[in-house]
Amino acid sequence: MLSITRKSLFFKCLSFAICLYCSPVFSLSKEAVDKSPKALLESAELMLKSDVGLTFDLLSKIEAQLTLLSIEQKLKYYYLLSESYSTSGQFISAAQTLDTALTLAKKLASPSVIICDLLYLRGYSAESLGDTSLAVEYYKKGLEVAESLHNKVMIANGLINLGAIAYITDDYKRALILLNDAYKIAAQTNDDQLKGYSNVELGIAYANLGQNEQSMVYYKQAYGYFKKSGMLLAAHNALNNIAMNYSVNKQYNEAISAYQEIISTSNEHSPAEIMYRVFSGMAWAQFRKEESDPEKAYEYFLKAEKYIDTIQRHDIKLQFYFDQAFVLFHLKRYQDTLVSIAEAEKLLVNHDSLPFFQKQANLGIINLKSKVYYEQKRFKEAYEAKSKLVFLREQLHENEDKKSVAEVRLSLESEQADLKNKLLENEKTINQENLAEAQFANKEQQLYLSIGALVALALAWILAKLLYSQRQLKLASTIDTLTGIENRRSLMKKSAQAFKLAKKKHHCFSVLVIDIDRFKNINDTFGHSQGDVVLKGVVQLSESMIRKSDVFGRLGGEEFMVCLPKQDLQSAIYIAERIRERIAEKQWPLRNITQVTVSIGVASLASDSDLNTLVQRADKLLYKAKLSGRNKVFSS
């Protein structure tokens, strides 16, 4: 499954999709249908809160009398129509309608909240269609209007939208600042809807940072606010987030219960995207749970498939075809697996231009294809797919500075072991296969094919072994073998390059020098094996607090350094404090070790002529932190 992101969790289009099935004010009477265009518009606004299908019917009646409405009323009509399209997942239609509305809005004498709504919704349509740059443009325009109106609720909505784009593009520092600002504004209001949205976005951001416990807190708060305000669809999406969080934590039975609750309270007009996510999530939970049920999982994928044609989001379709192919492979329906893989490949045209998470998906698809070919005894094609996989994976690792050496090593060793096992399996069974197939083909032809298969596998094994050896040599020269991060040589080299670029571009640049407090006592008292566990734990916690673009490495012993390109002193201090707090709060599962702390020196680029000067300043500040009692951050 894809990591939990706004792109993979549809939960809002600002203020629409509120469901209050039991409230009498939302019933559509004959009198409402016979009302004036203005009254029909008011009825449509209310109906959107309970039934999108009937809302479209009402809006179609208004369309015939559109000339009777004022400019403000026409804008309201276009907004409601766009909301209805977005709720139904028809983002292209929503974008086209909003463009018409925004052109009309230019005739207004002064800015109004409706313009803000239109700009935000247009940004969301662009975001849902994969154009984040265009989305940011509209979100910023909407925020400017909100600020000119001094409208706190609309300002908070703008911050939420921009915060979501920030974490989608891996800028988690900015995302948390924007989303926390929105959260604070929401707390000052009585708007449960706004509180729900600010909570759910913070939940998604923390989920992306791997902090699932904190994420779950926000999801549950969002669910409570949405239920309190009667927003059933928004509550369904919050509950869907909760279910996905359960799945990430391998609590599959809890996830299934959450999905069943959504299914039991949904209806025929529930948006296609919500129902798709519920059924596909249920499928994965059935597949992954301890007593795996692939057949039942596939049944749920078939239910999810009913909605896929009406969904216009590229990332959702890609995930569906990959998920379907994966389950079909485990059901040994290999030809059907290839059909699903082909559909996924249509959505992945150019690997180099794909965002990181889609590059990972592409690697998964190629790997699955190689396995299918092998099972079908199409050895040459299996070899070609595996070769392509090795090449692209190597390329991806080179571009990802923070790739864990342990993960790389295990992955490559696993591939090599798989190839060896397959070669041995083939050698064991080749004679039996020859005998079984001899009655259907010429013996000489069969022998030729068998030898060709062996040669292909042998070449694949040799290639993997050579690449593995090359990779190991490369890792040995750049990676600290104990912790899996950059060694001193590689750390200083990469940091010097980043420092030089910052000087040239006049960008902010900061470094953290981190030292584990009283580490010698840990080694002397509890032994080096427990000391190694502490080193690895400190590295793991520190890595979770920094970006992939930052350079993190071991200077030596218990001392580490983080290079933070494009981060000013205030941001660097914030990151250092988070690292210090996380390490101090950790409960260490070690004998007689209750707490580990670190001291950190922080320095930012000023008049420093080279990296060494900057690092020396940070090191002196670290020394001051030690002298002042340890477990502190000192900065200049």
Side-chain angles (χ1 to χ4, degrees):
M1 298 172 68
L2 290 176
S3 56
I4 303 174
T5 66
R6 178 183 169 98
K7 287 178 72 63
S8 64
L9 291 174
F10 171 75
F11 77 96
K12 78 181 195 71
C13 269
L14 302 177
S15 61
F16 68 92
I18 309 172
C19 290
L20 296 170
Y21 290 113
C22 300
S23 177
V25 299
F26 292 107
S27 60
L28 182 61
S29 64
K30 185 176 184 300
E31 288 76 10
V33 175
D34 293 337
K35 285 179 180 177
S36 67
K38 181 180 177 181
L40 283 172
L41 195 62
E42 293 172 355
S43 298
E45 186 173 8
L46 294 174
M47 185 54 60
L48 182 57
K49 299 174 181 180
S50 62
D51 194 312
V52 177
L54 290 178
T55 304
F56 276 121
D57 291 342
L58 272 177
L59 292 171
S60 67
K61 296 179 185 299
I62 297 171
E63 185 180 14
Q65 307 176 65
L66 205 56
T67 54
L68 302 177
L69 299 177
S70 66
I71 291 178
E72 288 83 359
Q73 291 167 341
K74 287 178 182 177
L75 291 176
K76 192 68 177 179
Y77 161 80
Y78 285 126
Y79 177 64
L80 292 173
L81 183 59
S82 302
E83 280 190 333
S84 301
Y85 280 135
S86 294
T87 306
S88 305
Q90 301 177 56
F91 296 109
I92 294 174
S93 298
Q96 292 169 344
T97 303
L98 287 161
D99 287 340
T100 301
L102 288 169
T103 300
L104 179 62
K106 293 177 182 178
K107 296 182 180 181
L108 288 176
S110 59
S112 68
V113 170
I114 187 64
I115 295 177
C116 222
D117 281 332
L118 292 169
L119 288 166
Y120 286 159
L121 194 52
R122 182 63 182 90
Y124 185 75
S125 298
E127 178 190 333
S128 299
L129 293 168
D131 193 341
T132 53
S133 297
L134 185 60
V136 168
E137 184 180 327
Y138 280 109
Y139 288 153
K140 285 183 176 179
K141 288 179 181 177
L143 185 57
E144 287 174 6
V145 175
E147 288 173 338
S148 70
L149 296 170
H150 304 290
N151 188 310
K152 284 189 175 182
V153 172
M154 298 309 292
I155 289 172
N157 275 321
L159 294 174
I160 288 171
N161 290 326
L162 289 170
I165 292 292
Y167 69 64
I168 286 171
T169 54
D170 296 330
D171 189 352
Y172 292 106
K173 168 67 175 167
R174 177 172 168 76
L176 291 176
I177 290 172
L178 292 169
L179 294 175
N180 275 299
D181 285 348
Y183 184 86
K184 291 173 185 175
I185 293 173
Q188 298 168 8
T189 72
N190 294 320
D191 192 329
D192 287 333
Q193 176 181 332
L194 180 62
K195 290 176 181 177
Y197 291 150
S198 62
N199 270 281
V200 81
E201 286 289 8
L202 275 168
I204 297 171
Y206 277 107
N208 277 275
L209 288 167
Q211 299 182 39
N212 293 325
E213 289 183 13
Q214 183 65 44
S215 175
M216 185 66 90
V217 170
Y218 285 118
Y219 286 156
K220 289 183 176 178
Q221 287 178 176
Y223 181 59
Y225 283 123
F226 289 142
K227 283 196 72 175
K228 181 181 176 183
S229 58
M231 301 170 63
L232 186 62
L233 294 185
H236 277 175
N237 278 291
L239 194 54
N240 188 28
N241 292 352
I242 290 170
M244 290 183 70
N245 201 306
Y246 278 136
S247 289
V248 169
N249 291 321
K250 300 182 180 180
Q251 297 173 271
Y252 299 115
N253 290 329
E254 289 84 349
I256 289 170
S257 296
Y259 286 129
Q260 286 173 336
E261 183 177 342
I262 299 173
I263 293 170
S264 66
T265 54
S266 63
N267 61 41
E268 60 180 327
H269 296 302
S270 293
E273 191 169 330
I274 293 179
M275 299 313 298
Y276 163 78
R277 294 201 178 284
V278 169
F279 286 122
S280 63
M282 180 71 91
W284 271 112
Q286 293 288 349
F287 185 80
R288 296 288 191 188
K289 67 181 184 178
E290 189 173 348
E291 296 177 0
S292 179
D293 191 342
E295 290 289 351
K296 198 166 187 179
Y298 186 63
E299 288 177 16
Y300 279 110
F301 271 124
L302 290 178
K303 291 180 180 180
E305 189 174 20
K306 295 177 182 177
Y307 300 96
I308 200 68
D309 288 338
T310 62
I311 296 173
Q312 296 174 352
R313 293 182 63 163
H314 174 279
D315 58 308
I316 290 178
K317 290 187 175 183
L318 171 63
Q319 188 65 40
F320 169 75
Y321 289 120
F322 179 62
D323 291 348
Q324 185 183 59
F326 187 83
V327 172
L328 285 167
F329 175 79
H330 282 270
L331 291 171
K332 299 184 178 180
R333 294 172 56 175
Y334 301 128
Q335 200 55 42
D336 290 337
T337 304
L338 290 176
V339 172
S340 295
I341 287 173
E343 291 296 328
E345 287 179 328
K346 290 178 184 177
L347 301 170
L348 295 168
V349 181
N350 186 348
H351 179 87
D352 291 336
S353 64
L354 297 174
F356 180 76
F357 81 92
Q358 288 191 4
K359 285 183 179 179
Q360 289 182 311
N362 192 29
L363 292 181
I365 288 167
I366 295 169
N367 189 44
L368 186 59
K369 186 194 285 189
S370 72
K371 291 180 179 180
V372 173
Y373 285 149
Y374 183 83
E375 294 297 335
Q376 292 181 325
K377 297 181 174 55
R378 296 162 65 176
F379 298 115
K380 182 179 179 183
E381 290 160 297
Y383 164 69
E384 290 172 349
K386 182 64 74 173
S387 298
K388 183 178 180 181
L389 173 67
V390 171
F391 172 75
L392 291 176
R393 182 174 289 169
E394 178 76 13
Q395 191 179 61
L396 187 65
H397 289 172
E398 286 178 358
N399 295 332
E400 188 189 2
D401 289 340
K402 293 302 165 198
K403 188 71 176 177
S404 165
V405 66
E407 184 181 340
V408 175
R409 185 173 64 248
L410 287 173
S411 174
L412 291 173
E413 286 177 350
S414 176
E415 284 183 16
Q416 185 179 356
D418 285 345
L419 285 169
K420 286 180 179 178
N421 289 335
K422 288 175 181 178
L423 186 60
L424 290 172
E425 264 182 50
N426 191 71
E427 289 173 347
K428 270 186 180 178
T429 60
I430 194 68
N431 290 329
Q432 295 175 357
E433 291 175 1
N434 284 340
L435 289 172
E437 296 171 8
Q439 55 188 309
F440 302 107
N442 181 275
K443 287 185 178 180
E444 290 183 2
Q445 183 184 16
Q446 182 59 38
L447 180 61
Y448 173 78
L449 289 172
S450 299
I451 292 172
L454 282 170
V455 169
L457 280 171
L459 287 172
W461 179 78
I462 291 168
L463 175 63
K465 187 174 180 65
L466 286 171
L467 288 173
Y468 173 78
S469 299
Q470 291 171 0
R471 181 68 178 169
Q472 289 297 94
L473 287 171
K474 182 178 178 181
L475 291 174
S477 65
T478 62
I479 299 297
D480 177 69
T481 54
L482 175 64
T483 60
I485 58 175
E486 307 290 339
N487 62 21
R488 182 185 182 91
R489 177 175 171 274
S490 178
L491 170 67
M492 299 308 291
K493 180 180 178 182
K494 290 182 178 180
S495 298
Q497 291 170 347
F499 177 93
K500 184 178 180 181
L501 182 63
K503 290 277 284 186
K504 181 179 179 181
K505 299 287 187 179
H506 303 290
H507 289 162
C508 298
F509 185 89
S510 302
V511 295
L512 315 180
V513 178
I514 305 168
D515 190 271
I516 302 174
D517 296 328
R518 299 184 176 89
F519 183 74
K520 186 176 184 300
N521 290 346
I522 294 174
N523 271 341
D524 292 344
T525 306
F526 307 111
H528 287 275
S529 60
Q530 294 207 42
D532 289 348
V533 172
V534 169
L535 286 170
K536 292 175 184 177
V538 167
V539 166
Q540 185 180 16
L541 290 171
S542 300
E543 275 192 313
S544 69
M545 296 292 104
I546 62 178
R547 303 167 300 174
K548 291 180 180 178
S549 56
D550 299 329
V551 185
F552 181 34
R554 187 179 181 188
L555 287 170
E558 69 273 22
E559 194 171 42
F560 305 88
M561 187 177 90
V562 184
C563 161
L564 300 168
K566 298 183 181 179
Q567 294 281 28
D568 59 16
L569 182 61
Q570 185 179 1
S571 299
I573 293 170
Y574 173 83
I575 293 167
E577 285 289 357
R578 290 189 66 204
I579 291 172
R580 183 193 63 77
E581 290 170 0
R582 283 293 303 278
I583 293 169
E585 292 167 359
K586 179 177 173 61
Q587 298 297 313
W588 294 84
L590 297 171
R591 177 173 51 86
N592 299 322
I593 296 179
T594 57
Q595 187 186 42
V596 174
T597 62
V598 296
S599 299
I600 305 176
V602 184
S604 289
L605 177 60
S607 59
D608 307 276
S609 58
D610 55 40
L611 176 67
N612 288 335
T613 307
L614 181 61
V615 173
Q616 285 170 9
R617 285 205 290 121
D619 200 55
K620 288 178 181 177
L621 291 163
L622 167 66
Y623 184 70
K624 288 182 180 179
K626 291 276 190 186
L627 291 177
S628 69
R630 299 181 175 84
N631 191 25
K632 293 183 180 178
V633 173
F634 268 52
S635 60
S636 60

